[in-house]
Amino acid sequence: MSKIGFIGLGIMGRPMAGHLLDAGHDIYTVLHNSPLPSDLKEKGANVVDNPKAVAEQSEIIITMVPDTPDVEKVLFGEDGVIEGLQKDTLVIDMSSIAPMPTQDFARRIKEAGGDYLDAPVSGGEGGAINAALTIMVGGSEAAFERGKPVLDIMGASITHIGENGSGQTCKVANQIVVALTIEAVSEGLLFASKAGADVAKVRESLLGGLAQSKILDVHGERMINRTFDPGFKVKLHQKDLNLALEGARTLDVSLPGTANAQQLLQACAANGGADWDHAGMVRALEMLANHEVGK
C-alpha cells in the first residue's frame, strides 16, 4: 500500500479519496475552508498543515482542485508541494485545467526530481461515488504504469492518451462534446414539451434510438424532474469551455457550437445559476421560449 497525498476534497475529490482509503492506502490531506469530512475521518485520513507537509509524507500526490491557478498555487506557491517533494514522487493532477500550463507544471516537477501525470476525469459526482470515472492520462509510459493501479481504484476506463498535456487536451474535447450534447437534449425536450407531447415518454422513446446517450438518460431526467443540485456546476463547465475557446484561438480553429453553449451557460450564471448542475443549461433555453420542460 502507498502513502498518498490527496489535495482537494470537493464534490469529486471526497469520494475519490474515500475509495483509496477503502483500498488500504494511507491518505494525507490539507484542509482549506471546511473540516475533514466525517466519513474520511472515520476511515483514517491524516490532516497536515499545508501542501508542503503533504508532499513530505507522500509517495504519490493527487490534486483535484477547480482551475489552473489553483493547481499552480498548490504545487508551486508558498509551502507548496514542490518545497516538500521527495525524490521520485509521482504527482497526478486530476483537475481539469489548461493543457499548455500543464506541460510547464510537469517540467518543473520533473526538474525537482519527481514525475507527473495529468489525469482529468469525466463522469461527474456519480462516477466518483461509484468508482466509475473515465480518466484521460498524459505523461510518460513509465509514469502511467506506476500510476495506473491507483487510478484503477477510482475509475472504470483509464486511457493513456500521450505525453504530458494530452490528458488535459482530451478532457477539453470531452467538455465540448458534453456541452453540445446537453444543449441538443435541452432543445429536443423543450421542443417536444412546448408542442404538447408527454416529454417523459419522448425521452423514453429517444433512448431506444440513434439519439440515445448517457446525457439524454441522466441529464434528460434531471431536466424533466427539475433536479439541478450540482453533480458538475455550471461555473466549472464555463471554465472548461473557456479553455476550449482560448485553445481554439491559439490553434486557429472555429468552434461555433462551443461558443453558443458557453453563452447559454453564461445566461444561467447571470440568472443566479452558477452553482446549478450543468444540465441547468435547459433553463436558459426555457427563458427564451417562455416555457418550462414538462409543463
Side-chain angles (χ1 to χ4, degrees):
M1 294 296 104
S2 299
K3 294 181 178 180
I4 300 176
F6 201 109
I7 301 174
L9 300 177
I11 289 174
M12 301 288 288
R14 176 177 174 175
M16 292 163 68
H19 294 312
L20 296 173
L21 286 163
D22 290 339
H25 294 289
D26 293 327
I27 295 293
Y28 296 86
T29 192
V30 58
L31 303 177
H32 295 287
N33 299 319
S34 302
L36 182 68
S38 59
D39 58 327
L40 300 186
K41 183 176 182 179
E42 291 170 3
K43 292 177 181 181
N46 302 284
V47 178
V48 296
D49 290 337
N50 48 49
K52 174 184 176 182
V54 170
E56 289 171 342
Q57 298 292 332
S58 304
E59 305 161 70
I60 296 173
I61 299 167
I62 295 171
T63 53
M64 188 62 173
V65 295
D67 204 350
T68 308
D70 302 299
V71 176
E72 184 170 25
K73 181 178 180 180
V74 164
L75 295 182
F76 307 112
E78 183 178 356
D79 292 324
V81 162
I82 201 164
E83 294 185 18
L85 192 73
Q86 308 298 299
K87 181 175 172 55
D88 297 325
T89 297
L90 177 62
V91 175
I92 307 176
D93 178 37
M94 303 188 77
S95 319
S96 294
I97 67 169
M100 291 300 292
T102 290
Q103 294 174 349
D104 180 61
F105 297 165
R107 176 188 59 78
R108 293 165 71 180
I109 290 294
K110 290 175 182 178
E111 288 176 352
D115 209 342
Y116 195 96
L117 293 174
D118 48 290
V121 306
S122 179
E125 182 182 14
I129 290 170
N130 295 313
L133 293 168
T134 295
I135 305 177
M136 314 154 208
V137 188
S140 70
E141 187 68 38
F144 176 70
E145 290 302 320
R146 182 179 171 194
K148 189 172 184 298
V150 171
L151 299 177
D152 281 333
I153 295 168
M154 299 176 284
S157 175
I158 295 92
T159 304
H160 184 207
I161 306 298
E163 293 301 314
N164 287 125
S166 60
Q168 295 294 354
T169 296
C170 184
K171 179 59 188 289
V172 170
N174 178 84
Q175 296 304 80
I176 292 170
V177 173
V178 169
L180 270 63
T181 307
I182 291 174
E183 181 179 355
V185 169
S186 298
E187 291 189 10
L189 295 184
L190 180 61
F191 171 82
S193 178
K194 192 154 189 180
D198 183 327
V199 72
K201 290 184 178 178
V202 168
R203 170 180 164 275
E204 180 182 352
S205 179
L206 294 178
L207 284 170
L210 191 59
Q212 67 84 26
S213 69
K214 188 169 184 179
I215 288 171
L216 176 61
D217 184 12
V218 176
H219 290 328
E221 185 174 41
R222 281 180 176 268
M223 294 170 194
I224 294 168
N225 293 338
R226 320 308 293 170
T227 51
F228 297 116
D229 292 338
F232 187 73
K233 294 180 180 181
V234 162
K235 65 184 179 183
L236 294 179
H237 210 147
Q238 282 185 286
K239 177 261 298 182
D240 291 341
L241 294 190
N242 279 335
L243 296 178
L245 294 170
E246 289 166 6
R249 283 191 290 272
T250 301
L251 296 169
D252 200 22
V253 173
S254 177
L255 301 177
T258 303
N260 191 58
Q262 177 70 303
Q263 287 301 305
L264 290 170
L265 292 173
Q266 178 58 38
C268 291
N271 284 275
D275 289 326
W276 296 342
D277 185 85
H278 55 171
M281 185 192 290
V282 71
R283 288 182 165 183
L285 291 162
E286 288 171 342
M287 286 184 276
L288 293 172
N290 192 29
H291 178 83
E292 186 176 293
V293 167
K295 295 294 186 182

